[in-house]
Amino acid sequence: MARLVLGLVSCTFFLTVSGLYSSSDDVIELTPSNFNQEVIQSNSLWLVEFFAPWCGHCQRLTPEWKKVATALKGVVRVGAVDAISISPSAVSMGCRDSPPSRFLDPTRTDQKIIRVNRGRTADAIVDAALGALRQLVKDRLGGRGYSSGRQGRSESSSKKDVIELTDDSFDKNVLDSEDVWMVEFYAPWCGHCKNLEPEWAAAATEVKEQTKGKVKLAAVDATANQMLTGRYGIRGFPTIKIFQKGESPVDYDGGRTRSDIVSRALDLFSDNAPPPELLEIISEDVAKKTCEEHQLCVVAVLPHILDTGAAGRNSYLEVLLKLADKYKKKMWGWLWTEAGAQSELENALGIGGFGYPAMAAINARKMKFALLKGSFSEQGINEFLRELSFGRGSTAPVGGGAFPAISTREPWDGKDGELPVEDDIDLSDVELDDLEKDEL
């Protein structure tokens, strides 16, 4: 069962090393009270054994480990930890049998855990340690080393939308915020955290765009922010928690891909977001802004007010508002206009030939649209929108290849329509005899 590993460790829950080593040995005792300061916050290189006092392999390794500690004294620091006491932290680092060992370099971000599989003799372990040390020196010569033991995530444009939080900034940013926060607690040495990092960064950018910043993705270096780690009981990495104002934080237990994270974030957004606005198209600014700021904008063309009256129009608008609320997670834009009010828009979407009411969904980025061909009812529109949400349905280019011209109009006043008043003709000065002669 004996295994040796080289790498960076953040197991902070250890019992006193006892039974196999004594204070007279060069093996350094690591405990809960000294591990963070001695290992995580130092710039030293460490070779650490995780042992179980009852383990026969560990007992046989003990004299060799003492030789290693003496041989590497002043070069690499050699320590020992009772692995029985560190679950689940040991499990998170792969310490499933004893004695695993790790070469610890807090200054490295590219390679944190290296297993030592070259035998259990002092000579083999020392050779492995010196090999890792040699590689470290080469990396530093090549500019890949870092001087700080608290090395966080690298800064790049791909991570610009992930908000880094600390013990000092957390409460003000998260707990006092009206927004929803998804916070990842990570450790710089954690392999799973590194795998998550690009997915988390990509999701942060997409979520920021789609929720207009109402859902935020953040990250906390749990090894450097012990107050937060203790407050929220962080035991494994990465741990993701969801924070909403006035509620206790909950664990995120979904998938770790970008799409999984985005999907959960949009669910959180829609749960807390008001229904989208249903705007009347009264100007080019309203129409273009709504369509350009959303992946799709749904446009309804309702019958003329003289054909429906206020009651009929309001019944159509109620159906649209109900469906807008149902599909609010999609964050589409919602528009309506009266038949004939925006003739160029109707022509570009080919709406006139199907009568009124009518509906189209426009993708302004691709200048394509899909037309409702079923009934303009709650059920018919729902089926149309459902197909759109799955990316199905036929599309066509917007007529003219550009957003059509929009007329400026007065908004509907909410009242019934009135027939135009015809001008009265005054016939008092006209002789009827003259009219009869003209007719003849």
Side-chain angles (χ1 to χ4, degrees):
M1 292 176 63
R3 292 188 300 156
L4 303 179
V5 185
L6 304 176
L8 172 63
V9 181
S10 178
C11 293
T12 57
F13 307 98
F14 304 128
L15 297 179
T16 303
V17 175
S18 60
L20 301 186
Y21 301 101
S22 67
S23 59
S24 61
D25 298 321
D26 291 318
V27 177
I28 300 170
E29 176 183 348
L30 296 172
T31 69
S33 60
N34 71 6
F35 189 85
N36 186 63
Q37 180 178 356
E38 291 290 332
V39 178
I40 296 175
Q41 299 187 40
S42 80
N43 291 328
S44 301
L45 303 179
W46 280 84
L47 184 61
V48 177
E49 174 202 4
F50 294 79
F51 72 91
W54 47 261
C55 169
H57 295 289
C58 305
Q59 294 169 3
R60 287 189 289 273
L61 178 64
T62 299
E64 297 298 308
W65 199 251
K66 292 177 180 179
K67 293 178 184 178
V68 169
T70 300
L72 294 176
K73 189 173 184 178
V75 180
V76 175
R77 306 193 75 183
V78 179
V81 170
D82 182 349
I84 298 303
S85 67
I86 65 175
S87 179
S89 299
V91 175
S92 71
M93 293 184 297
C95 309
R96 293 182 177 84
D97 53 341
S98 298
S101 303
R102 286 164 169 70
F103 184 79
L104 314 180
D105 172 19
T107 71
R108 294 278 298 277
T109 60
D110 58 331
Q111 180 175 301
K112 293 297 183 185
I113 300 177
I114 310 171
R115 294 187 181 279
V116 181
N117 294 315
R118 296 176 55 186
R120 296 294 179 267
T121 65
D123 286 343
I125 297 169
V126 167
D127 286 344
L130 293 178
L133 179 62
R134 187 179 300 108
Q135 185 60 51
L136 169 65
V137 173
K138 290 182 179 179
D139 287 348
R140 286 178 174 175
L141 285 173
R144 294 189 293 275
Y146 297 87
S147 61
S148 171
R150 289 189 173 187
Q151 179 63 32
R153 297 188 168 189
S154 58
E155 292 294 331
S156 74
S157 59
S158 66
K159 304 177 185 64
K160 61 184 176 60
D161 295 316
V162 176
I163 302 170
E164 287 283 346
L165 298 170
T166 66
D167 286 339
D168 295 330
S169 67
F170 187 89
D171 288 5
K172 180 179 179 181
N173 282 278
V174 179
L175 301 186
D176 296 339
S177 174
E178 299 292 337
D179 300 327
V180 178
W181 287 75
M182 298 178 70
V183 181
E184 175 207 1
F185 294 84
Y186 71 92
W189 48 262
C190 166
H192 292 299
C193 302
K194 291 180 180 179
N195 292 336
L196 175 63
E197 185 175 2
E199 302 294 322
W200 195 250
T205 298
E206 187 170 343
V207 169
K208 180 181 179 181
E209 177 182 350
Q210 294 202 41
T211 69
K212 301 296 185 290
K214 294 299 183 181
V215 179
K216 294 178 169 61
L217 269 62
V220 173
D221 182 347
T223 65
N225 297 280
Q226 296 290 315
M227 183 190 75
L228 291 173
T229 303
R231 178 197 292 178
Y232 295 113
I234 306 302
R235 294 290 183 270
F237 306 108
T239 292
I240 300 171
K241 288 186 175 290
I242 298 168
F243 294 83
Q244 300 182 72
K245 190 169 185 178
E247 299 182 17
S248 298
V250 297
D251 289 333
Y252 168 79
D253 55 3
R256 300 299 174 88
T257 66
R258 177 199 58 77
S259 60
D260 291 328
I261 298 163
V262 170
S263 177
R264 184 70 177 101
L266 296 185
D267 284 340
L268 291 167
F269 175 74
S270 63
D271 290 342
N272 293 273
E277 288 187 280
L278 175 59
L279 302 175
E280 183 182 1
I281 303 176
I282 57 174
S283 68
E284 184 176 54
D285 182 61
V286 169
K288 292 190 70 174
K289 183 177 181 181
T290 300
C291 288
E292 289 175 355
E293 289 184 353
H294 299 85
Q295 182 183 11
L296 289 178
C297 60
V298 181
V299 180
V301 182
L302 304 182
H304 195 281
I305 190 64
L306 292 176
D307 295 328
T308 63
R313 175 167 291 181
N314 282 326
S315 67
Y316 285 129
L317 295 177
E318 287 174 7
V319 170
L320 294 174
L321 286 169
K322 183 176 181 180
L323 290 166
D325 186 39
K326 180 176 181 178
Y327 287 90
K328 66 180 180 179
K329 185 172 71 171
K330 298 298 181 182
M331 284 169 288
W332 295 334
W334 292 79
L335 298 168
W336 73 274
T337 186
E338 181 179 79
Q342 303 294 343
S343 57
E344 292 199 33
L345 175 63
E346 291 186 37
N347 291 335
L349 302 178
I351 281 178
F354 290 92
Y356 306 103
M359 176 177 284
I362 305 172
N363 184 326
R365 297 173 187 176
K366 297 182 178 180
M367 275 298 128
K368 291 188 175 183
F369 73 95
L371 197 62
L372 169 66
K373 297 181 179 179
S375 65
F376 196 97
S377 62
E378 183 176 341
Q379 182 178 352
I381 297 172
N382 180 65
E383 184 61 28
F384 172 62
L385 299 177
R386 183 173 177 273
E387 292 293 303
L388 289 178
S389 68
F390 288 118
R392 297 198 291 259
S394 60
T395 61
V398 173
F403 203 88
I406 300 297
S407 301
T408 301
R409 298 181 59 86
E410 290 296 321
W412 178 47
D413 59 9
K415 300 178 181 179
D416 287 325
E418 295 181 1
L419 289 170
V421 178
E422 297 183 1
D423 294 334
D424 293 332
I425 300 175
D426 186 3
L427 299 178
S428 61
D429 295 333
V430 179
E431 295 292 339
L432 294 178
D433 290 343
D434 293 338
L435 290 174
E436 292 174 355
K437 292 177 183 180
D438 290 341
E439 289 178 0
L440 295 174

